[in-house]
Amino acid sequence: MRACGAALGSRVSWVGSSAQSTVPVYVARDALVPGQRIGPDDVRVADVQLATGELEHSVRADQPLPDDAVAVRVVGKDELVPATAVGSAADLDVRSVAIPLERAPSRDVTVGALVDVWFSPAPPAAGDEAQAPRQLAEALPVAEVARPERSLGGSGGSAVHVLVPQDELPEVLAALASDGTLDVVPVPG
């Protein structure tokens, strides 16, 4: 009986010491995208055991989030919120641009997913040579997917809002103003 008690005591001690070495950290409820304000409704608290040296990589939940906290990179749903993913709006160099689509986007195009943006010039006038589609931007985070509520067949107003680095904005905005179509292609992975 004493051996059993000693074994049980050692197990309780191990459980107790394990519980004491957990720390509360924030976990994303849904995908967080650059520029999104991060508040208490966007995260949940999880008690996790982290190896020595890993604690500074996650945002601790025993301290409140800063009032001006925004995501500066994509954080996946149910991912521990990395400290490097939280900053202020001044840390961002991206802008949200709505890409109108002629066809419904792939099911893989979701908030937080990465997409490439392609431009296909309008068909040429008779006798002119057709221009090949070209990639405008690659691996842009999706901030929002707007699908029509009811549609029979076509996209009927689908748009994907992507986060475009400021230095790539002129080319993307010029394509939006041009004759032709834009498409978003999901990046595998």
Side-chain angles (χ1 to χ4, degrees), residues 2-132:
R2 278 190 192 186
C4 182
L8 183 57
S10 130
R11 183 174 180 163
V12 169
S13 171
W14 175 82
V15 169
S17 67
S18 293
Q20 291 172 359
S21 64
T22 62
V23 293
V25 296
Y26 288 116
V27 176
R29 288 185 190 275
D30 291 304
L32 303 173
V33 295
Q36 177 181 345
R37 290 218 176 271
I38 304 172
D41 292 342
D42 302 309
V43 293
R44 62 182 171 79
V45 176
D47 289 318
V48 297
Q49 243 181 341
L50 296 173
T52 305
E54 289 184 10
L55 184 56
E56 65 272 5
H57 299 297
S58 296
V59 179
R60 292 184 63 140
D62 54 359
Q63 304 162 10
L65 288 166
D67 290 337
D68 64 345
V70 297
V72 294
R73 74 162 185 81
V74 173
V75 178
K77 179 181 179 175
D78 296 326
E79 180 183 342
L80 297 180
V81 178
T84 57
V86 179
S88 69
D91 299 326
L92 295 172
D93 73 338
V94 296
R95 298 295 181 262
S96 181
V97 176
I99 306 293
L101 303 176
E102 289 190 358
R103 292 171 292 282
S106 161
R107 287 183 300 214
D108 294 333
V109 177
T110 59
V111 171
L114 299 178
V115 296
D116 295 337
V117 177
W118 285 78
F119 176 71
S120 299
D128 290 341
E129 188 175 322
Q131 294 180 356

Side-chain angles (χ1 to χ4, degrees), residues 115-178:
V115 296
D116 295 337
V117 177
W118 285 78
F119 176 71
S120 299
D128 290 341
E129 188 175 322
Q131 294 180 356
R134 69 181 193 278
Q135 186 176 19
L136 298 176
E138 63 181 289
L140 301 180
V142 174
E144 180 182 344
V145 180
R147 290 184 170 94
E149 288 187 31
R150 294 194 180 251
S151 176
L152 299 174
S155 73
S158 292
V160 175
H161 298 249
V162 295
L163 299 169
V164 180
Q166 289 185 32
D167 62 340
E168 296 178 36
L169 275 174
E171 188 171 11
V172 172
L173 295 176
L176 280 167
S178 299

